[in-house]
Amino acid sequence: MRVPVIALKRRQWEPFAFASPALVLIAIVIVFPLIYSFYLSLRDFDLSVGSDSTFVGARNYAEALLRDERFIASVWNTVVLIVPSLVCELLAGLGIALLLNRVTHGRPIITALLAIPAMVSPVMAGMAWRMMFGVKYGAINNLGRQFGLLDVYFDWFSSPFMSVVAVVLVEVWQNTPFMMLVLLAGLQSIPQELYESARVDGASPRQSFWHITLPLLKFTMVVGVMIRMIDLTKLFGLIFVLTFGGPGGATETVAFNTYLVGFKDFRMSYAAALSYVIVGGVLIMTLAFQFVQRWREARAA
Amino acid sequence: MSTLVGTTPAVAVRRANRHRVGRLIADVFTYLGLAVTLVFFLGPFAWILTTSLKGNNDFFAFPPVWIPSDPSLAHYVGLFTRASGLRYFLNSLTISSMSMVAALLVSLPTAYAIARWRFGGTVFGTFLLVLRMLPAIALIIPVYLMYKTLGLTNSYLGLVILYTVVYIPFAVWLLVGFLRDFPVEIEEAAMIDGCSRVGSLIRVVVPIIAPGMAVVALFSFIATWNEFLFAVVLTGIETKTMMVLVTTYTSGGTDMFYGEASASVVLGVLPAFAVAFMLQRYLVKGLALGGTKG
Amino acid sequence: MRQLGFVAVLLVLIAVVAAGVLPVQAPAQGAKPYEGTTIRAVVNAEYVKYSLSLVEKDLYDKLGIKVDVEVIPLDAFVPKTLLEFNSGSSPWDLIMFGPSNMPDYGRHFEPLEPWTQKLKLDFQLDDIADVYKKLMLRHNGKLVSMPYDGDVHMLFWNKVAYERPDNKKKFKEKYKYDLQPPKTWKQWDDASEFFHGWGWDGTDNKLFGAGASYKPSGSGYSYHWWRSRFFSYGGQYFDADMKPLINSAPALRALEEMVRTISYYPPGVLLFESEEPKTMLVKGEIPLLYSWTSTGKRVGDARESVIVGKAGFGLVPGAEIDGKMIHRPAITPGRAMAVSKYSKKIEATMKVLEFISLPDQSLKIVMDPKTIMDPWRVTHFRSEKFRKAFPGAPEYLDAIEKSFPLVVPDPVIPGADEYQRKLSFEITEALAKRKPPKEALDSAAREWEKITDRRGRDKQKAAWGEKLAEMKAIGIEYHPDWAAKAK
């Protein structure tokens, strides 16, 4: 009678045994550091001054949210970068997905090719475009000059506005393919019969687009936008290589500012607090987005 | 209701022709649009590649020279020798390979536990979501301090551990998907034949979901290859990766060191090119889960 | 099967790691005293690595030592290196650093004097120009480093722009005084306005009015350019009580002038680091620039310069106060080389330091246009080879020496890098028109107070007190009234 008992026990600990390496590692490398970071954020640990620190409670958070002009400016900068990027990625992604949807042969190759920008590192994308933006020898200015469109010396980073444009451009270049893939998958899940019966009913292509495609694509678009929005809040590598936050602080994103505080000023506690403010912000933003979506859906019903 | 019913053959033919012309225009527009799209998305790579093969005469010329007149690998040689590029390329390769293998080793049993025994299923799902939203900066601050005390900065081990663990949730999620498609009967047959659980996992399941594992491996390779923040904070001269190498050219170097800069970009995007074709079917899922940005 | 493959991969990787990490250990045999030794250096730019490569062959031939140079980009350099040192170790033997940061670095360096005696080293200290002797050698009285790059600002102008009769006529008509290389800031601003936007070299090209570097990276750029104006209008970093004076009247006047005239500079000026304006100068696109002396080498380099023999060299503009000219060229940040006291190869590194500081080896480094290192030994300035290197070289070298008595350093106190960075950032914010000048400077002053508090107000006050006295001794003091009456 011992075998069933052992068998029962084994059943209970076997899954644990299988998952334990992962669980242990996650606990040590992710969960513990995050807790430690929160603990740090309640102190005033500053590596540039020394290794001692005292407990200061929520002071870092108060400073970040109320008195740190540079951090608040970086929040605004991040928003300024997110909104145009999302809009452009959605529109361009939709356009390309629609085009690609009409193609039958060659689609896998084109899809794979178009996906490449999304698979390279933002740092590499940033470097490639930085060279292309080069004032005197970059591809864009060379092209512009060759066609007589651009002035002798057009600098893409000469003003805060142009720098934002440049960053948005590279972001859109890199991530439209993702949006396009998501929307393409969504388009392909729409049953053809709907279009057929619409055409039989005399609907123009534009009408079927507005009344069939878009509504059925809405959910996919929402998912895509949410994923991209969360990714955009993490904008760091691209900024590092393309503008390093410049000119002045015009393209300093929240992640970049926190990096400077933590690894240039070495104010680790304050940086930890900033990172939690960012996490909180992303959470609120995501929840707000979902809330708005549900509210609009409820209204439409 | 359709107006086709009460028409003459002539009108029907004309309408059919208009349709065909309309479709032709739409087709031309489509292919033109896709061509422009391809040029836009792939053009930069082509330019960087040609730039890395250009000599000084071509790069600094105006009117601009688009195709190098005398292509040479001199910049790559310079990158590998003078700028120690070979060492950094090997670093990236080593770290990414080790992380990929380690992630698979740890994630497979975990995914198995979830797929077979519903082990804490929703927990992992929520964890994945949380991790997706977490900015890397939140993790690197405490990890950096911990590593400093443990002496794990500027070491392969430190980065590999970090990359492996950060990638576990994604790997697990993808593997669960593959495992769920796997027919349990084959496994049970093996176990009736006397295999242990672990044995059946290794000898039966793994060979069959090997393609799925390859997908996970490739994604994790790319994600760790592309990773930047952890690398820039935790590496030193011996362990610097390709991503960090590229940043040495940002300080006023893009004109003076254009050759090395463009060569390092070409090498840095090589994995993406290699992997894109292989991972086609899983691209949406992988990208959505954050599988390539790290 | 998979395990086998994994083990194989692991072995290969271990081999790679071992090859890359383990130092080459070989017995010191043979003709070369340190045969087989490799020491590790850390520098903050590719140019510096390149400059070391100029002497590495001779170094190896004579001593058998190889130098493995790591480049940490400018922006990360001070934080990363200080972090290593503060934790009590360093992976590097030879350290390049900015002497303005000596208060933060100095205690990690191995004093040179004991080794000078032990190894019979000769650093030829007498041959170092005074101004560098003061700034680049000592920490708490002990000799810890040798200069490597004498960074001083000077004025460069394009003679074509200044000598064309047509230009002279037009200028005189508009501004009512003769066109000459600017001596005051007003003359500089007038000239930049005058020269902007047309072909002052006689061609149809649209050229620019003047050059500068306004990017807030490393520890400066825009603040270096602002500082010369600031000090010539009577400014000073702090008062005796450690209160920042960087938002005082001289500061405001200096920044307002810069903001007002920024449209006469090339469009990318907000992101210019050290080399971009120099490139524009030598390509004849700007007529005026004040910048580091290494510019002069590029001016004379026929491989890229179109103004060889057509450039003038002089003193950075100043302000006229009560009939007297006050010039305050910046000396910043400079580069010096030191030996890490945590190094395991101090002896070999000392020999390397001696070697690269030798007059003829360092001359090689400071003469090459691609290294951007500036002369710092008296023999550099008197060297026949240097003086014959390009047309105008003698005037160039003499002009540098003329600036020496007037230079104004960085605030050389603990946290120097952070003070400068925060100020530079705010200055560029004002230049980018993201903030009004007054608000930017007030922000900077607030940041400075925060830094002083974090570092310990009393400690900072004591350190600053010394520097204040030193600057006073060479005539640099705070004069609030100058800003209004400076001409």
Side-chain angles (χ1 to χ4, degrees), chain B residues 147-168:
Chain B
Y147 273 14
K148 249 210 154 284
T149 32
L150 293 172
L152 280 176
T153 53
N154 194 23
S155 73
Y156 282 169
L157 190 64
L159 260 184
V160 169
I161 292 177
L162 189 57
Y163 283 162
T164 304
V165 180
V166 166
Y167 209 73
I168 288 176

PDB file of all heavy atoms in Angstrom, chain B residues 147-168:
ATOM      1  N   TYR B 147      25.247  43.579  -7.709  1.00  0.00           N
ATOM      2  CA  TYR B 147      26.367  43.015  -8.444  1.00  0.00           C
ATOM      3  C   TYR B 147      27.687  43.608  -8.011  1.00  0.00           C
ATOM      4  O   TYR B 147      28.722  42.957  -8.010  1.00  0.00           O
ATOM      5  CB  TYR B 147      26.164  43.225  -9.948  1.00  0.00           C
ATOM      6  CG  TYR B 147      25.357  42.150 -10.622  1.00  0.00           C
ATOM      7  CD1 TYR B 147      24.616  41.241  -9.893  1.00  0.00           C
ATOM      8  CD2 TYR B 147      25.354  42.028 -12.002  1.00  0.00           C
ATOM      9  CE1 TYR B 147      23.883  40.255 -10.512  1.00  0.00           C
ATOM     10  CE2 TYR B 147      24.627  41.037 -12.638  1.00  0.00           C
ATOM     11  CZ  TYR B 147      23.891  40.154 -11.894  1.00  0.00           C
ATOM     12  OH  TYR B 147      23.166  39.178 -12.514  1.00  0.00           O
ATOM     13  N   LYS B 148      27.633  44.905  -7.666  1.00  0.00           N
ATOM     14  CA  LYS B 148      28.882  45.545  -7.251  1.00  0.00           C
ATOM     15  C   LYS B 148      29.430  44.894  -6.006  1.00  0.00           C
ATOM     16  O   LYS B 148      30.618  44.650  -5.894  1.00  0.00           O
ATOM     17  CB  LYS B 148      28.628  47.040  -7.001  1.00  0.00           C
ATOM     18  CG  LYS B 148      29.323  47.770  -8.058  1.00  0.00           C
ATOM     19  CD  LYS B 148      29.862  49.086  -7.881  1.00  0.00           C
ATOM     20  CE  LYS B 148      31.013  49.346  -8.837  1.00  0.00           C
ATOM     21  NZ  LYS B 148      32.249  48.704  -8.484  1.00  0.00           N
ATOM     22  N   THR B 149      28.521  44.601  -5.054  1.00  0.00           N
ATOM     23  CA  THR B 149      29.006  43.965  -3.829  1.00  0.00           C
ATOM     24  C   THR B 149      29.436  42.525  -4.095  1.00  0.00           C
ATOM     25  O   THR B 149      30.343  42.020  -3.453  1.00  0.00           O
ATOM     26  CB  THR B 149      27.921  43.960  -2.729  1.00  0.00           C
ATOM     27  OG1 THR B 149      26.644  43.862  -3.352  1.00  0.00           O
ATOM     28  CG2 THR B 149      27.983  45.222  -1.907  1.00  0.00           C
ATOM     29  N   LEU B 150      28.792  41.876  -5.050  1.00  0.00           N
ATOM     30  CA  LEU B 150      29.146  40.488  -5.327  1.00  0.00           C
ATOM     31  C   LEU B 150      30.293  40.371  -6.323  1.00  0.00           C
ATOM     32  O   LEU B 150      30.747  39.273  -6.612  1.00  0.00           O
ATOM     33  CB  LEU B 150      27.926  39.743  -5.900  1.00  0.00           C
ATOM     34  CG  LEU B 150      26.752  39.557  -4.937  1.00  0.00           C
ATOM     35  CD1 LEU B 150      25.559  38.995  -5.687  1.00  0.00           C
ATOM     36  CD2 LEU B 150      27.160  38.636  -3.807  1.00  0.00           C
ATOM     37  N   GLY B 151      30.724  41.501  -6.861  1.00  0.00           N
ATOM     38  CA  GLY B 151      31.818  41.445  -7.827  1.00  0.00           C
ATOM     39  C   GLY B 151      31.414  40.873  -9.168  1.00  0.00           C
ATOM     40  O   GLY B 151      32.227  40.326  -9.904  1.00  0.00           O
ATOM     41  N   LEU B 152      30.128  41.010  -9.502  1.00  0.00           N
ATOM     42  CA  LEU B 152      29.663  40.418 -10.748  1.00  0.00           C
ATOM     43  C   LEU B 152      29.626  41.417 -11.900  1.00  0.00           C
ATOM     44  O   LEU B 152      29.153  41.099 -12.980  1.00  0.00           O
ATOM     45  CB  LEU B 152      28.245  39.850 -10.563  1.00  0.00           C
ATOM     46  CG  LEU B 152      28.183  38.488  -9.884  1.00  0.00           C
ATOM     47  CD1 LEU B 152      26.734  38.098  -9.671  1.00  0.00           C
ATOM     48  CD2 LEU B 152      28.892  37.443 -10.716  1.00  0.00           C
ATOM     49  N   THR B 153      30.102  42.663 -11.660  1.00  0.00           N
ATOM     50  CA  THR B 153      30.123  43.586 -12.779  1.00  0.00           C
ATOM     51  C   THR B 153      31.286  43.194 -13.686  1.00  0.00           C
ATOM     52  O   THR B 153      32.238  42.569 -13.251  1.00  0.00           O
ATOM     53  CB  THR B 153      30.342  45.030 -12.311  1.00  0.00           C
ATOM     54  OG1 THR B 153      31.504  45.063 -11.490  1.00  0.00           O
ATOM     55  CG2 THR B 153      29.155  45.534 -11.538  1.00  0.00           C
ATOM     56  N   ASN B 154      31.180  43.571 -14.926  1.00  0.00           N
ATOM     57  CA  ASN B 154      32.216  43.243 -15.888  1.00  0.00           C
ATOM     58  C   ASN B 154      32.521  41.752 -15.913  1.00  0.00           C
ATOM     59  O   ASN B 154      33.671  41.331 -15.898  1.00  0.00           O
ATOM     60  CB  ASN B 154      33.497  44.039 -15.583  1.00  0.00           C
ATOM     61  CG  ASN B 154      34.467  43.982 -16.739  1.00  0.00           C
ATOM     62  OD1 ASN B 154      34.078  43.737 -17.868  1.00  0.00           O
ATOM     63  ND2 ASN B 154      35.742  44.170 -16.453  1.00  0.00           N
ATOM     64  N   SER B 155      31.477  40.956 -15.909  1.00  0.00           N
ATOM     65  CA  SER B 155      31.666  39.509 -16.002  1.00  0.00           C
ATOM     66  C   SER B 155      30.577  38.930 -16.884  1.00  0.00           C
ATOM     67  O   SER B 155      29.471  39.443 -16.954  1.00  0.00           O
ATOM     68  CB  SER B 155      31.592  38.875 -14.619  1.00  0.00           C
ATOM     69  OG  SER B 155      30.246  38.866 -14.171  1.00  0.00           O
ATOM     70  N   TYR B 156      30.919  37.849 -17.555  1.00  0.00           N
ATOM     71  CA  TYR B 156      29.917  37.173 -18.367  1.00  0.00           C
ATOM     72  C   TYR B 156      28.797  36.668 -17.476  1.00  0.00           C
ATOM     73  O   TYR B 156      27.614  36.795 -17.787  1.00  0.00           O
ATOM     74  CB  TYR B 156      30.544  35.981 -19.092  1.00  0.00           C
ATOM     75  CG  TYR B 156      31.359  36.347 -20.302  1.00  0.00           C
ATOM     76  CD1 TYR B 156      32.174  35.402 -20.917  1.00  0.00           C
ATOM     77  CD2 TYR B 156      31.329  37.610 -20.836  1.00  0.00           C
ATOM     78  CE1 TYR B 156      32.922  35.718 -22.028  1.00  0.00           C
ATOM     79  CE2 TYR B 156      32.080  37.937 -21.946  1.00  0.00           C
ATOM     80  CZ  TYR B 156      32.878  36.986 -22.534  1.00  0.00           C
ATOM     81  OH  TYR B 156      33.630  37.282 -23.632  1.00  0.00           O
ATOM     82  N   LEU B 157      29.177  36.061 -16.355  1.00  0.00           N
ATOM     83  CA  LEU B 157      28.199  35.404 -15.493  1.00  0.00           C
ATOM     84  C   LEU B 157      27.104  36.356 -15.071  1.00  0.00           C
ATOM     85  O   LEU B 157      25.923  36.041 -15.130  1.00  0.00           O
ATOM     86  CB  LEU B 157      28.922  34.842 -14.263  1.00  0.00           C
ATOM     87  CG  LEU B 157      28.084  33.916 -13.377  1.00  0.00           C
ATOM     88  CD1 LEU B 157      27.703  32.688 -14.166  1.00  0.00           C
ATOM     89  CD2 LEU B 157      28.864  33.537 -12.136  1.00  0.00           C
ATOM     90  N   GLY B 158      27.500  37.542 -14.637  1.00  0.00           N
ATOM     91  CA  GLY B 158      26.517  38.502 -14.151  1.00  0.00           C
ATOM     92  C   GLY B 158      25.462  38.824 -15.189  1.00  0.00           C
ATOM     93  O   GLY B 158      24.257  38.736 -14.937  1.00  0.00           O
ATOM     94  N   LEU B 159      25.933  39.154 -16.392  1.00  0.00           N
ATOM     95  CA  LEU B 159      24.989  39.516 -17.452  1.00  0.00           C
ATOM     96  C   LEU B 159      24.134  38.319 -17.844  1.00  0.00           C
ATOM     97  O   LEU B 159      22.924  38.440 -18.040  1.00  0.00           O
ATOM     98  CB  LEU B 159      25.748  40.016 -18.682  1.00  0.00           C
ATOM     99  CG  LEU B 159      25.811  41.521 -18.851  1.00  0.00           C
ATOM    100  CD1 LEU B 159      26.490  41.851 -20.155  1.00  0.00           C
ATOM    101  CD2 LEU B 159      24.442  42.143 -18.833  1.00  0.00           C
ATOM    102  N   VAL B 160      24.764  37.153 -17.943  1.00  0.00           N
ATOM    103  CA  VAL B 160      24.014  35.977 -18.385  1.00  0.00           C
ATOM    104  C   VAL B 160      22.909  35.658 -17.389  1.00  0.00           C
ATOM    105  O   VAL B 160      21.768  35.383 -17.772  1.00  0.00           O
ATOM    106  CB  VAL B 160      24.956  34.765 -18.570  1.00  0.00           C
ATOM    107  CG1 VAL B 160      24.156  33.501 -18.770  1.00  0.00           C
ATOM    108  CG2 VAL B 160      25.861  34.996 -19.759  1.00  0.00           C
ATOM    109  N   ILE B 161      23.232  35.724 -16.119  1.00  0.00           N
ATOM    110  CA  ILE B 161      22.204  35.449 -15.105  1.00  0.00           C
ATOM    111  C   ILE B 161      21.041  36.416 -15.276  1.00  0.00           C
ATOM    112  O   ILE B 161      19.872  36.019 -15.328  1.00  0.00           O
ATOM    113  CB  ILE B 161      22.782  35.594 -13.688  1.00  0.00           C
ATOM    114  CG1 ILE B 161      23.794  34.497 -13.409  1.00  0.00           C
ATOM    115  CG2 ILE B 161      21.672  35.556 -12.643  1.00  0.00           C
ATOM    116  CD1 ILE B 161      24.459  34.628 -12.063  1.00  0.00           C
ATOM    117  N   LEU B 162      21.368  37.690 -15.386  1.00  0.00           N
ATOM    118  CA  LEU B 162      20.328  38.705 -15.498  1.00  0.00           C
ATOM    119  C   LEU B 162      19.484  38.481 -16.747  1.00  0.00           C
ATOM    120  O   LEU B 162      18.254  38.470 -16.690  1.00  0.00           O
ATOM    121  CB  LEU B 162      20.980  40.087 -15.535  1.00  0.00           C
ATOM    122  CG  LEU B 162      20.054  41.280 -15.426  1.00  0.00           C
ATOM    123  CD1 LEU B 162      19.236  41.189 -14.153  1.00  0.00           C
ATOM    124  CD2 LEU B 162      20.859  42.563 -15.436  1.00  0.00           C
ATOM    125  N   TYR B 163      20.145  38.284 -17.878  1.00  0.00           N
ATOM    126  CA  TYR B 163      19.406  38.095 -19.127  1.00  0.00           C
ATOM    127  C   TYR B 163      18.537  36.852 -19.062  1.00  0.00           C
ATOM    128  O   TYR B 163      17.387  36.845 -19.473  1.00  0.00           O
ATOM    129  CB  TYR B 163      20.374  37.967 -20.298  1.00  0.00           C
ATOM    130  CG  TYR B 163      20.955  39.268 -20.759  1.00  0.00           C
ATOM    131  CD1 TYR B 163      22.107  39.289 -21.539  1.00  0.00           C
ATOM    132  CD2 TYR B 163      20.384  40.480 -20.430  1.00  0.00           C
ATOM    133  CE1 TYR B 163      22.661  40.479 -21.987  1.00  0.00           C
ATOM    134  CE2 TYR B 163      20.922  41.675 -20.860  1.00  0.00           C
ATOM    135  CZ  TYR B 163      22.064  41.661 -21.637  1.00  0.00           C
ATOM    136  OH  TYR B 163      22.616  42.838 -22.061  1.00  0.00           O
ATOM    137  N   THR B 164      19.120  35.770 -18.534  1.00  0.00           N
ATOM    138  CA  THR B 164      18.369  34.519 -18.462  1.00  0.00           C
ATOM    139  C   THR B 164      17.090  34.718 -17.672  1.00  0.00           C
ATOM    140  O   THR B 164      16.001  34.397 -18.145  1.00  0.00           O
ATOM    141  CB  THR B 164      19.219  33.430 -17.781  1.00  0.00           C
ATOM    142  OG1 THR B 164      20.441  33.294 -18.484  1.00  0.00           O
ATOM    143  CG2 THR B 164      18.480  32.118 -17.769  1.00  0.00           C
ATOM    144  N   VAL B 165      17.229  35.287 -16.485  1.00  0.00           N
ATOM    145  CA  VAL B 165      16.056  35.384 -15.621  1.00  0.00           C
ATOM    146  C   VAL B 165      15.008  36.326 -16.209  1.00  0.00           C
ATOM    147  O   VAL B 165      13.816  36.052 -16.174  1.00  0.00           O
ATOM    148  CB  VAL B 165      16.474  35.864 -14.218  1.00  0.00           C
ATOM    149  CG1 VAL B 165      15.272  35.963 -13.338  1.00  0.00           C
ATOM    150  CG2 VAL B 165      17.483  34.909 -13.638  1.00  0.00           C
ATOM    151  N   VAL B 166      15.473  37.434 -16.775  1.00  0.00           N
ATOM    152  CA  VAL B 166      14.512  38.375 -17.346  1.00  0.00           C
ATOM    153  C   VAL B 166      13.773  37.743 -18.505  1.00  0.00           C
ATOM    154  O   VAL B 166      12.621  38.066 -18.776  1.00  0.00           O
ATOM    155  CB  VAL B 166      15.238  39.659 -17.797  1.00  0.00           C
ATOM    156  CG1 VAL B 166      14.363  40.492 -18.679  1.00  0.00           C
ATOM    157  CG2 VAL B 166      15.656  40.462 -16.586  1.00  0.00           C
ATOM    158  N   TYR B 167      14.420  36.801 -19.163  1.00  0.00           N
ATOM    159  CA  TYR B 167      13.779  36.215 -20.326  1.00  0.00           C
ATOM    160  C   TYR B 167      12.913  35.018 -19.993  1.00  0.00           C
ATOM    161  O   TYR B 167      12.141  34.553 -20.831  1.00  0.00           O
ATOM    162  CB  TYR B 167      14.821  35.826 -21.376  1.00  0.00           C
ATOM    163  CG  TYR B 167      14.240  35.904 -22.748  1.00  0.00           C
ATOM    164  CD1 TYR B 167      13.999  37.136 -23.328  1.00  0.00           C
ATOM    165  CD2 TYR B 167      13.858  34.761 -23.438  1.00  0.00           C
ATOM    166  CE1 TYR B 167      13.407  37.231 -24.564  1.00  0.00           C
ATOM    167  CE2 TYR B 167      13.258  34.853 -24.681  1.00  0.00           C
ATOM    168  CZ  TYR B 167      13.042  36.084 -25.236  1.00  0.00           C
ATOM    169  OH  TYR B 167      12.449  36.175 -26.460  1.00  0.00           O
ATOM    170  N   ILE B 168      13.033  34.471 -18.774  1.00  0.00           N
ATOM    171  CA  ILE B 168      12.280  33.262 -18.426  1.00  0.00           C
ATOM    172  C   ILE B 168      10.780  33.393 -18.679  1.00  0.00           C
ATOM    173  O   ILE B 168      10.182  32.524 -19.321  1.00  0.00           O
ATOM    174  CB  ILE B 168      12.547  32.858 -16.965  1.00  0.00           C
ATOM    175  CG1 ILE B 168      13.959  32.306 -16.843  1.00  0.00           C
ATOM    176  CG2 ILE B 168      11.546  31.806 -16.513  1.00  0.00           C
ATOM    177  CD1 ILE B 168      14.337  31.978 -15.417  1.00  0.00           C
TER     178      ILE B 168
END
